Amino acid sequence: MSKLVIVGTVAFDAIETPFGKTDKILGGAATYIGLSASQFSPDASIISIVGGDFPQKHLDLLSNKNIDISGIQIVKEGKTFFWSGRYHNDMNSRDTLATELNTLADFNPVVPKNYKNAEIVMLGNLHPIVQSNVLDQMETKPKLVVLDTMNFWMDTALNDLHNIIKRVDVISINDEEARQLTEEYSLAVAARKIQAMGPKYVVIKKGEHGALLFHNENVFYAPALPLEEVFDPTGAGDTFAGGFVGYLAKTGDFSFENMKNAVIYGSTLASFCVEKFGTERMENLSSNEVHKRLLKFKQLTQFEIELT
């Protein structure tokens, strides 16, 4: 089992979708990644920052999933990062109603000493300089560095983003972001350009249309499981990333063939996340439920082709 460092936000969200709305609930990239990765029981640590307003029960939730929280800084006089958004009827587009950085504005990550030799580092969506800071603290070179980012950093910190992209093995972004980063419409061409920037592997997420994995000339496509109801897509991408790195941490195999499995596991876990608001579905997800859904994925994707 590989040690896993997860860097990202532990936060509050307030969400409105066609199915309803919430008050402040638990959210944040590192939260979703950690809860998803915990399905594989890795030796994982979350590095983040919260304010004095962050409930102990949320920290206990992460601890009870055997996630090390010593890297979560608590600024007692500060407030926790807060995001509020409203989804449109198609559930693919949304409007940001509020973004309050609060303690995140001055976040200086500190990697716990016993995780400075972690084999896998998952850099959740944060400022590229913060992501670089974490890699600078590692005492041994990680075997695998996975980066998640978004178009906001392409708009505001492109040079810093290019610098961190050079240092990672896998980048995980959505199709819109891949096109913006490369100025290419074709995702195959975009993936090739991104690989030239540094990453050996490129994962391009397409929401309800699945995900693509690129490595050199190899391409793998994993569909998304058709769901009858999608209540809240907020943490789906981070849940995908958590399943992806959690599976790789468990197996210790970073080959293209095994990353295909990691993509399927990530997609499977993301399909649960969207079934409830916030982290509710992921908090009590059983391994038996995951196994049953994996079998559905297998039935969805495998068939015998009759050659004529």
Side-chain angles (χ1 to χ4, degrees), residues 259-281:
M259 283 198 186
K260 293 179 184 179
N261 291 320
V263 168
I264 293 294
Y265 271 91
S267 296
T268 301
L269 288 162
S271 75
F272 285 107
C273 177
V274 301
E275 292 180 338
K276 300 281 188 180
F277 279 103
T279 60
E280 182 181 351
R281 189 68 174 92

Side-chain angles (χ1 to χ4, degrees), residues 190-202 214-216:
R192 187 164 63 245
K193 280 197 169 184
I194 294 170
Q195 287 183 74
M197 297 175 188
K200 303 181 191 74
Y201 301 90
V202 177
F214 296 87
H215 173 58
N216 295 332

